[in-house]
Amino acid sequence: RLESRYPDAVDVAVVGSGPAGAAWARTLHENAPHLRVAVFEVGPVLSDPAGDHVKNIADPQARRRAQRASEGPAADPDGDQPPASADGRRGRPGTFLLGDGFAAGGTGLPVGAMSSNVGGMGAHWTCACPRPGGTERIDFVEDLDELLDEAERLLGVDARALAGAPLAGQVRELLGTALDADRPADRRVQPMPLAVRREVDGTGAARAHWSGPSVVLGDVLEHGVGLHPETLVERVLRDEHGAVRGIAVRDRRDGSTAEVAAGVVVVAADALRTPQLLFASGVRPPALGRYLNDQPQVLLAVRLPDEVLAGDAVDEHAGTAIDGSSGVSWVPFDDDRHPFHGQVMQMDASPVPRPDLPADRPGAYVGLGWFCAKDVRAQDRVEFDESATDDYGMPAPRVHYELTDVDAQRLAAAKTAIAAAARALGRPIDDAPIELPAGSSLHYQGTTRMGRTDDGTSVCDVNGEVWGVPGLFVAGNGLIPTETACNPTLTTVALAVGGARHVAKNLATRTEGGDGS
Ligand code: FAD
């Protein structure tokens, strides 16, 4: 028979190559280099290095091809846009929408989306990495701050990378004057910590390098960590005692199947597909898929006043999506004064493009996005249908999701707050804040939430190990149990580091204390 492209056995199999899977692989390798670690990813490699951010692909056509290649089985490889649903809904470039189960109950997530590629959504993200504050923080993760430090190192986070962009200083000053009163120093208006590095190209020009999971992986792929793209993990396999013994995979290139033995499996397959794989594997704790939350979001655009524009020199090089002039400012979440996460971006950096705005000098228009924390409830959930399949042949997702009265109040307050911030900056372009449909934040959380104890309201412990299934770990935004408004990836990478350190230590102890060989 043809030799399988998969190893027969590894120590740790990681499912999914986004920031969470990449952080697990890197941390395992750094802490226990002797472990055999392999990453299995359903989507293709887009770039060299694998898992790079698509914004770093300079050629627009090549970048478009990479985005289409991330958009799942229904994408048109030669198209200009992501695939649209029959009723006209469309995801952002690099993503594809949930199928017809997007609203099995309530409003659902009309623009709930995923990415299938090496790097996951982390090859397409905006790179904003704010730290959670107040009630956003997970109080039972004792070393959270140190883990966040490490997550910043792995993601290459730098608040100064684009802080000097034209007009960004003026934006922060205007916002700070209006919003900083009584805030603690670390929660005042400030440059957004971004997973971005400033670098100088061959011609001496400065440009931004956006961190994708390739940055998180570092050089581990050159040092023995395996990467298996275009590989659907169909099931996690368990032994007669219920402990993990490996994974069942399907090669998407030729349809062949294989089993890979592994004592530890880490499912980092995003907040919608991690519970899907557990469900398909018969691992169905009561909280699986529940507590689903997406951060309700409002937007408003502003034109800076003429006197502010007049006070700043025009940057000849500004105006492209990957130019360093794209300033991003942060209005941190604050329980008492401002229970929203404010992201203020020069328009060309905004993830929600506004082609309707008139052309002007770069930086003159500023987009404000205010994220709310969702009123988290067990009944908001993704379930899976055993009688129907998605485009990959996995149990089809069915989303039950609704905003509550509490959410309506939070959204109303967010609209008031964003309008006040916009007035502080200049002249709002829109008459009123625009409320985005559910799913827009792309920050889905809660579906495999972590908990202090196995009380039925969580899926895993503080290390990400699934209650009652030794060796099965989960990773990703689905672990976050708190109501958060800030972008989740920094926290997700921090939690992945904590889990991976725990496994590295335990497996090392097991090897050392084993049969002495
Ligand atoms: P993902 O990155 O989604 O990776 C999961 C991977 O698992 C995917 O590659 C998928 O193909 C793979 N997979 C799924 N099922 C299987 C299976 N059965 N077998 C094998 N592989 C499988 N977050 C922020 O914090 N800040 C931001 O500024 C920000 N901006 C964003 C802007 C955009 C346009 C997008 C799309 C996202 C943004 N996000 C942002 C969200 C951020 O990208 C995610 O939080 C992050 O990527 C989650 O990491 P992850 O590894 O858990 O999941």
Side-chain angles (χ1 to χ4, degrees):
R1 76 179 170 93
L2 285 176
E3 200 180 325
S4 167
R5 70 170 163 122
Y6 304 109
D8 291 333
V10 294
D11 294 306
V12 184
V14 179
V15 184
S17 63
W24 262 87
R26 167 85 174 264
T27 307
L28 285 169
H29 184 76
E30 281 189 351
N31 287 270
H34 61 283
L35 290 180
R36 294 165 302 164
V37 178
V39 180
F40 298 82
E41 165 58 54
V42 71
V45 173
L46 305 178
S47 55
D48 183 10
D52 200 2
H53 199 300
V54 300
K55 275 195 196 179
N56 302 321
I57 302 174
D59 172 35
Q61 265 192 351
R63 193 185 316 145
R64 215 170 14 250
R65 274 197 304 276
Q67 288 168 332
R68 293 301 83 81
S70 308
E71 292 163 1
D76 170 6
D78 304 315
D80 278 336
Q81 297 197 67
S85 65
D87 57 356
R89 290 169 297 112
R90 205 186 283 283
R92 306 248 191 93
T95 72
F96 61 104
L97 298 179
L98 277 161
D100 56 9
F102 74 88
T107 55
L109 294 178
V111 289
M114 297 159 276
S115 297
S116 284
N117 53 277
V118 170
M121 277 193 181
H124 308 281
W125 66 320
T126 311
C127 295
C129 286
R131 285 195 175 215
T135 53
E136 291 185 307
R137 290 168 58 88
I138 309 166
D139 61 5
F140 56 90
V141 178
E142 281 166 16
D143 46 356
L144 184 62
D145 286 313
E146 194 273 318
L147 293 174
L148 290 167
D149 289 344
E150 175 65 358
E152 286 175 347
R153 179 181 80 89
L154 295 187
L155 286 160
V157 176
D158 185 354
R160 295 155 309 168
L162 305 182
L167 301 167
Q170 289 91 324
V171 166
R172 289 196 296 274
E173 205 178 306
L174 291 168
L175 283 174
T177 307
L179 302 175
D180 275 349
D182 302 330
R183 279 177 177 255
D186 62 338
R187 306 300 288 179
R188 293 194 186 131
V189 175
Q190 57 193 281
M192 178 69 80
L194 291 172
V196 175
R197 186 175 77 225
R198 292 283 277 170
E199 55 184 26
V200 177
D201 69 16
T203 68
R207 56 172 221 130
H209 182 276
W210 301 79
S211 294
S214 59
V215 171
V216 178
L217 285 168
D219 61 1
V220 302
L221 299 182
E222 290 147 42
H223 291 95
V225 171
L227 172 65
H228 301 283
E230 296 177 69
T231 301
L232 175 71
V233 179
E234 294 186 313
R235 264 170 308 124
V236 177
L237 305 170
R238 288 183 294 155
D239 65 19
E240 64 277 21
H241 307 293
V244 159
R245 66 172 179 85
I247 51 175
V249 303
R250 180 175 296 276
D251 188 337
R252 298 261 308 151
R253 294 173 186 169
D254 62 12
S256 63
T257 58
E259 289 190 6
V260 179
V264 171
V265 172
V266 182
V267 185
D270 81 38
L272 300 169
R273 288 178 286 180
T274 293
Q276 179 187 51
L277 181 53
L278 266 57
F279 180 89
S281 310
V283 177
R284 301 175 185 177
L288 189 72
R290 292 186 174 275
Y291 306 97
L292 170 64
N293 66 96
D294 157 73
Q295 298 159 342
Q297 198 185 349
V298 293
L299 297 182
L300 200 52
V302 165
R303 188 176 188 284
L304 294 174
D306 290 337
E307 60 272 23
V308 172
L309 299 179
D312 195 69
V314 176
D315 180 348
E316 293 297 322
H317 302 290
T320 72
I322 57 169
D323 191 277
S325 66
S326 307
V328 188
S329 304
W330 176 29
V331 183
F333 175 92
D334 182 299
D335 282 292
D336 302 324
R337 301 160 196 88
H338 188 266
F340 317 104
H341 165 67
Q343 198 161 307
V344 181
M345 307 172 75
Q346 182 182 322
M347 292 314 289
D348 73 350
S350 170
V352 184
R354 293 292 309 269
D356 54 312
L357 294 181
D360 206 323
R361 58 172 289 196
Y365 291 97
V366 179
L368 293 88
W370 257 227
F371 295 75
C372 302
K374 167 93 175 79
D375 175 25
V376 171
R377 312 177 305 162
Q379 61 264 50
D380 293 316
R381 64 194 187 278
V382 54
E383 292 181 337
F384 299 95
D385 189 339
E386 275 177 298
S387 64
T389 52
D390 67 10
D391 286 345
Y392 288 105
M394 297 292 281
R398 303 279 182 244
V399 173
H400 299 254
Y401 194 79
E402 197 108 60
L403 296 185
T404 66
D405 290 346
V406 171
D407 289 317
Q409 287 161 17
R410 290 179 185 176
L411 271 164
K415 287 177 185 169
T416 305
I418 199 173
R423 280 194 303 275
L425 274 180
R427 182 166 52 81
I429 306 298
D430 308 298
D431 295 336
I434 300 163
E435 189 178 321
L436 296 186
S440 300
S441 78
L442 301 163
H443 304 157
Y444 317 128
Q445 303 173 114
T447 51
T448 52
R449 71 205 304 240
M450 61 167 49
R452 240 184 263 265
T453 55
D454 182 11
D455 61 0
T457 69
S458 59
V459 167
C460 64
D461 69 13
V462 71
N463 297 309
E465 190 162 18
V466 175
W467 299 117
V469 188
L472 178 57
F473 289 76
V474 285
N477 300 337
L479 269 67
I480 298 174
T482 45
E483 293 185 353
T484 73
C486 75
N487 323 59
T489 309
L490 182 75
T491 301
T492 278
V493 168
L495 299 178
V497 168
R501 281 181 183 165
H502 166 83
V503 165
K505 197 166 139 208
N506 272 11
L507 289 186
T509 319
R510 218 180 287 169
T511 314
E512 282 156 22
D515 60 7
S517 59

mmCIF file of all heavy atoms in Angstrom, residues 49-85:
data_model
loop_
_atom_site.group_PDB
_atom_site.id
_atom_site.type_symbol
_atom_site.label_atom_id
_atom_site.label_comp_id
_atom_site.label_asym_id
_atom_site.label_seq_id
_atom_site.Cartn_x
_atom_site.Cartn_y
_atom_site.Cartn_z
ATOM 1 N N PRO A 49 6.474 31.882 4.980
ATOM 2 C CA PRO A 49 6.246 30.743 5.844
ATOM 3 C C PRO A 49 4.758 30.424 6.022
ATOM 4 O O PRO A 49 3.906 31.317 5.909
ATOM 5 C CB PRO A 49 6.843 31.212 7.182
ATOM 6 C CG PRO A 49 6.697 32.701 7.162
ATOM 7 C CD PRO A 49 6.907 33.090 5.727
ATOM 8 N N ALA A 50 4.481 29.149 6.311
ATOM 9 C CA ALA A 50 3.107 28.709 6.513
ATOM 10 C C ALA A 50 2.490 29.459 7.692
ATOM 11 O O ALA A 50 3.113 29.600 8.739
ATOM 12 C CB ALA A 50 3.089 27.207 6.787
ATOM 13 N N GLY A 51 1.268 29.956 7.486
ATOM 14 C CA GLY A 51 0.567 30.633 8.574
ATOM 15 C C GLY A 51 0.862 32.119 8.667
ATOM 16 O O GLY A 51 0.508 32.763 9.651
ATOM 17 N N ASP A 52 1.459 32.684 7.635
ATOM 18 C CA ASP A 52 1.721 34.129 7.637
ATOM 19 C C ASP A 52 0.389 34.872 7.458
ATOM 20 O O ASP A 52 -0.583 34.323 6.932
ATOM 21 C CB ASP A 52 2.660 34.466 6.478
ATOM 22 C CG ASP A 52 3.371 35.803 6.670
ATOM 23 O OD1 ASP A 52 3.161 36.451 7.719
ATOM 24 O OD2 ASP A 52 4.130 36.200 5.765
ATOM 25 N N HIS A 53 0.359 36.134 7.875
ATOM 26 C CA HIS A 53 -0.824 36.965 7.672
ATOM 27 C C HIS A 53 -0.935 37.328 6.194
ATOM 28 O O HIS A 53 0.070 37.686 5.572
ATOM 29 C CB HIS A 53 -0.706 38.241 8.520
ATOM 30 C CG HIS A 53 -2.020 38.924 8.738
ATOM 31 N ND1 HIS A 53 -2.794 39.386 7.709
ATOM 32 C CD2 HIS A 53 -2.701 39.204 9.872
ATOM 33 C CE1 HIS A 53 -3.902 39.937 8.205
ATOM 34 N NE2 HIS A 53 -3.877 39.822 9.512
ATOM 35 N N VAL A 54 -2.145 37.239 5.630
ATOM 36 C CA VAL A 54 -2.275 37.499 4.193
ATOM 37 C C VAL A 54 -1.977 38.968 3.848
ATOM 38 O O VAL A 54 -1.655 39.270 2.699
ATOM 39 C CB VAL A 54 -3.668 37.098 3.633
ATOM 40 C CG1 VAL A 54 -3.936 35.614 3.838
ATOM 41 C CG2 VAL A 54 -4.783 37.946 4.208
ATOM 42 N N LYS A 55 -2.089 39.871 4.829
ATOM 43 C CA LYS A 55 -1.763 41.278 4.524
ATOM 44 C C LYS A 55 -0.291 41.442 4.153
ATOM 45 O O LYS A 55 0.083 42.455 3.573
ATOM 46 C CB LYS A 55 -2.033 42.160 5.743
ATOM 47 C CG LYS A 55 -3.454 42.643 5.883
ATOM 48 C CD LYS A 55 -3.458 43.780 6.894
ATOM 49 C CE LYS A 55 -4.823 44.102 7.417
ATOM 50 N NZ LYS A 55 -4.762 45.174 8.407
ATOM 51 N N ASN A 56 0.538 40.461 4.522
ATOM 52 C CA ASN A 56 1.961 40.560 4.179
ATOM 53 C C ASN A 56 2.239 40.097 2.751
ATOM 54 O O ASN A 56 3.371 40.196 2.289
ATOM 55 C CB ASN A 56 2.799 39.730 5.155
ATOM 56 C CG ASN A 56 2.585 40.190 6.594
ATOM 57 O OD1 ASN A 56 2.470 41.388 6.839
ATOM 58 N ND2 ASN A 56 2.504 39.258 7.522
ATOM 59 N N ILE A 57 1.199 39.569 2.075
ATOM 60 C CA ILE A 57 1.374 39.178 0.668
ATOM 61 C C ILE A 57 1.200 40.449 -0.156
ATOM 62 O O ILE A 57 0.103 41.007 -0.248
ATOM 63 C CB ILE A 57 0.339 38.097 0.262
ATOM 64 C CG1 ILE A 57 0.459 36.865 1.170
ATOM 65 C CG2 ILE A 57 0.496 37.733 -1.206
ATOM 66 C CD1 ILE A 57 -0.606 35.797 0.939
ATOM 67 N N ALA A 58 2.293 40.928 -0.755
ATOM 68 C CA ALA A 58 2.267 42.259 -1.382
ATOM 69 C C ALA A 58 1.427 42.282 -2.664
ATOM 70 O O ALA A 58 0.708 43.246 -2.911
ATOM 71 C CB ALA A 58 3.691 42.707 -1.677
ATOM 72 N N ASP A 59 1.474 41.209 -3.444
ATOM 73 C CA ASP A 59 0.759 41.201 -4.718
ATOM 74 C C ASP A 59 -0.750 41.039 -4.466
ATOM 75 O O ASP A 59 -1.178 40.024 -3.904
ATOM 76 C CB ASP A 59 1.292 40.040 -5.570
ATOM 77 C CG ASP A 59 0.466 39.855 -6.829
ATOM 78 O OD1 ASP A 59 -0.008 40.860 -7.387
ATOM 79 O OD2 ASP A 59 0.269 38.685 -7.238
ATOM 80 N N PRO A 60 -1.560 42.023 -4.892
ATOM 81 C CA PRO A 60 -3.003 41.960 -4.569
ATOM 82 C C PRO A 60 -3.690 40.712 -5.101
ATOM 83 O O PRO A 60 -4.575 40.164 -4.447
ATOM 84 C CB PRO A 60 -3.579 43.220 -5.234
ATOM 85 C CG PRO A 60 -2.418 44.076 -5.600
ATOM 86 C CD PRO A 60 -1.195 43.215 -5.647
ATOM 87 N N GLN A 61 -3.255 40.248 -6.295
ATOM 88 C CA GLN A 61 -3.911 39.044 -6.846
ATOM 89 C C GLN A 61 -3.571 37.810 -6.021
ATOM 90 O O GLN A 61 -4.428 36.979 -5.744
ATOM 91 C CB GLN A 61 -3.428 38.831 -8.271
ATOM 92 C CG GLN A 61 -4.382 39.451 -9.260
ATOM 93 C CD GLN A 61 -4.048 38.989 -10.668
ATOM 94 O OE1 GLN A 61 -3.021 38.359 -10.892
ATOM 95 N NE2 GLN A 61 -4.938 39.310 -11.584
ATOM 96 N N ALA A 62 -2.318 37.714 -5.632
ATOM 97 C CA ALA A 62 -1.898 36.561 -4.812
ATOM 98 C C ALA A 62 -2.601 36.620 -3.459
ATOM 99 O O ALA A 62 -3.014 35.593 -2.909
ATOM 100 C CB ALA A 62 -0.383 36.580 -4.631
ATOM 101 N N ARG A 63 -2.778 37.847 -2.931
ATOM 102 C CA ARG A 63 -3.474 37.984 -1.639
ATOM 103 C C ARG A 63 -4.935 37.535 -1.779
ATOM 104 O O ARG A 63 -5.469 36.830 -0.932
ATOM 105 C CB ARG A 63 -3.405 39.434 -1.169
ATOM 106 C CG ARG A 63 -3.803 39.603 0.285
ATOM 107 C CD ARG A 63 -3.849 41.057 0.703
ATOM 108 N NE ARG A 63 -2.717 41.800 0.212
ATOM 109 C CZ ARG A 63 -2.783 43.086 -0.168
ATOM 110 N NH1 ARG A 63 -3.906 43.736 -0.121
ATOM 111 N NH2 ARG A 63 -1.713 43.699 -0.613
ATOM 112 N N ARG A 64 -5.564 37.939 -2.901
ATOM 113 C CA ARG A 64 -6.965 37.549 -3.119
ATOM 114 C C ARG A 64 -7.079 36.021 -3.226
ATOM 115 O O ARG A 64 -7.988 35.405 -2.673
ATOM 116 C CB ARG A 64 -7.488 38.220 -4.394
ATOM 117 C CG ARG A 64 -8.935 38.600 -4.281
ATOM 118 C CD ARG A 64 -9.515 39.465 -5.366
ATOM 119 N NE ARG A 64 -8.780 39.627 -6.575
ATOM 120 C CZ ARG A 64 -8.174 40.754 -6.953
ATOM 121 N NH1 ARG A 64 -8.229 41.815 -6.179
ATOM 122 N NH2 ARG A 64 -7.531 40.843 -8.094
ATOM 123 N N ARG A 65 -6.132 35.426 -3.932
ATOM 124 C CA ARG A 65 -6.169 33.954 -4.064
ATOM 125 C C ARG A 65 -6.045 33.284 -2.700
ATOM 126 O O ARG A 65 -6.720 32.309 -2.394
ATOM 127 C CB ARG A 65 -5.034 33.467 -4.980
ATOM 128 C CG ARG A 65 -5.388 33.481 -6.451
ATOM 129 C CD ARG A 65 -4.419 32.601 -7.262
ATOM 130 N NE ARG A 65 -3.024 32.976 -7.086
ATOM 131 C CZ ARG A 65 -2.408 33.947 -7.765
ATOM 132 N NH1 ARG A 65 -3.081 34.630 -8.672
ATOM 133 N NH2 ARG A 65 -1.135 34.245 -7.542
ATOM 134 N N ALA A 66 -5.190 33.845 -1.853
ATOM 135 C CA ALA A 66 -5.007 33.278 -0.506
ATOM 136 C C ALA A 66 -6.300 33.424 0.304
ATOM 137 O O ALA A 66 -6.685 32.519 1.057
ATOM 138 C CB ALA A 66 -3.854 33.981 0.202
ATOM 139 N N GLN A 67 -6.976 34.551 0.131
ATOM 140 C CA GLN A 67 -8.252 34.739 0.858
ATOM 141 C C GLN A 67 -9.286 33.721 0.377
ATOM 142 O O GLN A 67 -9.946 33.077 1.185
ATOM 143 C CB GLN A 67 -8.754 36.175 0.652
ATOM 144 C CG GLN A 67 -7.909 37.193 1.411
ATOM 145 C CD GLN A 67 -8.190 38.628 1.001
ATOM 146 O OE1 GLN A 67 -8.599 38.910 -0.127
ATOM 147 N NE2 GLN A 67 -7.967 39.560 1.920
ATOM 148 N N ARG A 68 -9.405 33.560 -0.959
ATOM 149 C CA ARG A 68 -10.388 32.593 -1.486
ATOM 150 C C ARG A 68 -10.065 31.186 -0.986
ATOM 151 O O ARG A 68 -10.961 30.413 -0.664
ATOM 152 C CB ARG A 68 -10.375 32.576 -3.024
ATOM 153 C CG ARG A 68 -10.859 33.822 -3.775
ATOM 154 C CD ARG A 68 -12.254 34.257 -3.497
ATOM 155 N NE ARG A 68 -12.316 35.061 -2.285
ATOM 156 C CZ ARG A 68 -12.018 36.358 -2.212
ATOM 157 N NH1 ARG A 68 -11.651 37.010 -3.268
ATOM 158 N NH2 ARG A 68 -12.122 37.024 -1.067
ATOM 159 N N ALA A 69 -8.788 30.847 -0.919
ATOM 160 C CA ALA A 69 -8.389 29.492 -0.509
ATOM 161 C C ALA A 69 -8.727 29.214 0.951
ATOM 162 O O ALA A 69 -8.675 28.078 1.405
ATOM 163 C CB ALA A 69 -6.891 29.309 -0.743
ATOM 164 N N SER A 70 -9.081 30.271 1.701
ATOM 165 C CA SER A 70 -9.402 30.126 3.127
ATOM 166 C C SER A 70 -10.900 29.969 3.376
ATOM 167 O O SER A 70 -11.321 29.804 4.515
ATOM 168 C CB SER A 70 -8.932 31.380 3.885
ATOM 169 O OG SER A 70 -7.590 31.663 3.591
ATOM 170 N N GLU A 71 -11.674 30.124 2.288
ATOM 171 C CA GLU A 71 -13.116 30.311 2.473
ATOM 172 C C GLU A 71 -13.930 29.031 2.350
ATOM 173 O O GLU A 71 -15.125 29.055 2.038
ATOM 174 C CB GLU A 71 -13.594 31.400 1.489
ATOM 175 C CG GLU A 71 -13.004 32.765 1.880
ATOM 176 C CD GLU A 71 -13.069 33.818 0.782
ATOM 177 O OE1 GLU A 71 -13.603 33.510 -0.318
ATOM 178 O OE2 GLU A 71 -12.597 34.939 1.032
ATOM 179 N N GLY A 72 -13.289 27.886 2.583
ATOM 180 C CA GLY A 72 -14.029 26.635 2.696
ATOM 181 C C GLY A 72 -14.346 26.015 1.353
ATOM 182 O O GLY A 72 -14.012 26.550 0.289
ATOM 183 N N PRO A 73 -15.032 24.865 1.384
ATOM 184 C CA PRO A 73 -15.255 24.084 0.173
ATOM 185 C C PRO A 73 -16.096 24.798 -0.888
ATOM 186 O O PRO A 73 -15.982 24.481 -2.058
ATOM 187 C CB PRO A 73 -15.997 22.839 0.686
ATOM 188 C CG PRO A 73 -15.704 22.788 2.148
ATOM 189 C CD PRO A 73 -15.505 24.195 2.601
ATOM 190 N N ALA A 74 -16.931 25.790 -0.501
ATOM 191 C CA ALA A 74 -17.819 26.409 -1.491
ATOM 192 C C ALA A 74 -17.209 27.656 -2.136
ATOM 193 O O ALA A 74 -17.854 28.322 -2.945
ATOM 194 C CB ALA A 74 -19.157 26.776 -0.825
ATOM 195 N N ALA A 75 -15.963 27.975 -1.809
ATOM 196 C CA ALA A 75 -15.362 29.212 -2.332
ATOM 197 C C ALA A 75 -15.073 29.094 -3.825
ATOM 198 O O ALA A 75 -14.821 28.007 -4.333
ATOM 199 C CB ALA A 75 -14.072 29.511 -1.577
ATOM 200 N N ASP A 76 -15.135 30.219 -4.509
ATOM 201 C CA ASP A 76 -14.762 30.282 -5.921
ATOM 202 C C ASP A 76 -13.298 30.731 -5.976
ATOM 203 O O ASP A 76 -13.000 31.891 -5.687
ATOM 204 C CB ASP A 76 -15.673 31.295 -6.628
ATOM 205 C CG ASP A 76 -15.194 31.594 -8.042
ATOM 206 O OD1 ASP A 76 -14.248 30.937 -8.502
ATOM 207 O OD2 ASP A 76 -15.781 32.495 -8.665
ATOM 208 N N PRO A 77 -12.383 29.824 -6.358
ATOM 209 C CA PRO A 77 -10.956 30.176 -6.274
ATOM 210 C C PRO A 77 -10.595 31.387 -7.123
ATOM 211 O O PRO A 77 -9.638 32.089 -6.816
ATOM 212 C CB PRO A 77 -10.242 28.916 -6.787
ATOM 213 C CG PRO A 77 -11.280 27.994 -7.294
ATOM 214 C CD PRO A 77 -12.617 28.470 -6.855
ATOM 215 N N ASP A 78 -11.371 31.650 -8.192
ATOM 216 C CA ASP A 78 -11.036 32.785 -9.066
ATOM 217 C C ASP A 78 -11.904 34.000 -8.795
ATOM 218 O O ASP A 78 -11.794 35.015 -9.485
ATOM 219 C CB ASP A 78 -11.205 32.373 -10.538
ATOM 220 C CG ASP A 78 -10.354 31.152 -10.856
ATOM 221 O OD1 ASP A 78 -9.181 31.148 -10.443
ATOM 222 O OD2 ASP A 78 -10.874 30.214 -11.477
ATOM 223 N N GLY A 79 -12.796 33.895 -7.827
ATOM 224 C CA GLY A 79 -13.740 34.995 -7.586
ATOM 225 C C GLY A 79 -13.089 36.191 -6.913
ATOM 226 O O GLY A 79 -11.968 36.123 -6.409
ATOM 227 N N ASP A 80 -13.824 37.291 -6.937
ATOM 228 C CA ASP A 80 -13.333 38.513 -6.291
ATOM 229 C C ASP A 80 -13.766 38.604 -4.838
ATOM 230 O O ASP A 80 -13.272 39.427 -4.086
ATOM 231 C CB ASP A 80 -13.888 39.752 -7.019
ATOM 232 C CG ASP A 80 -13.059 40.044 -8.244
ATOM 233 O OD1 ASP A 80 -11.886 39.625 -8.262
ATOM 234 O OD2 ASP A 80 -13.608 40.643 -9.187
ATOM 235 N N GLN A 81 -14.774 37.788 -4.480
ATOM 236 C CA GLN A 81 -15.376 37.931 -3.152
ATOM 237 C C GLN A 81 -15.558 36.574 -2.488
ATOM 238 O O GLN A 81 -15.582 35.542 -3.175
ATOM 239 C CB GLN A 81 -16.756 38.562 -3.294
ATOM 240 C CG GLN A 81 -16.731 39.947 -3.865
ATOM 241 C CD GLN A 81 -18.051 40.629 -3.595
ATOM 242 O OE1 GLN A 81 -18.374 40.914 -2.451
ATOM 243 N NE2 GLN A 81 -18.827 40.864 -4.632
ATOM 244 N N PRO A 82 -15.759 36.584 -1.165
ATOM 245 C CA PRO A 82 -16.098 35.333 -0.480
ATOM 246 C C PRO A 82 -17.454 34.805 -0.965
ATOM 247 O O PRO A 82 -18.246 35.575 -1.524
ATOM 248 C CB PRO A 82 -16.194 35.748 1.000
ATOM 249 C CG PRO A 82 -15.585 37.098 1.079
ATOM 250 C CD PRO A 82 -15.691 37.719 -0.271
ATOM 251 N N PRO A 83 -17.731 33.511 -0.754
ATOM 252 C CA PRO A 83 -19.018 32.975 -1.202
ATOM 253 C C PRO A 83 -20.187 33.639 -0.478
ATOM 254 O O PRO A 83 -20.070 33.975 0.696
ATOM 255 C CB PRO A 83 -18.928 31.484 -0.840
ATOM 256 C CG PRO A 83 -17.818 31.379 0.165
ATOM 257 C CD PRO A 83 -16.901 32.527 -0.068
ATOM 258 N N ALA A 84 -21.306 33.830 -1.208
ATOM 259 C CA ALA A 84 -22.497 34.421 -0.590
ATOM 260 C C ALA A 84 -23.516 33.324 -0.334
ATOM 261 O O ALA A 84 -23.541 32.312 -1.033
ATOM 262 C CB ALA A 84 -23.098 35.470 -1.514
ATOM 263 N N SER A 85 -24.369 33.533 0.678
ATOM 264 C CA SER A 85 -25.458 32.591 0.931
ATOM 265 C C SER A 85 -26.590 32.892 -0.062
ATOM 266 O O SER A 85 -26.585 33.939 -0.718
ATOM 267 C CB SER A 85 -25.960 32.756 2.359
ATOM 268 O OG SER A 85 -26.521 34.050 2.488
#
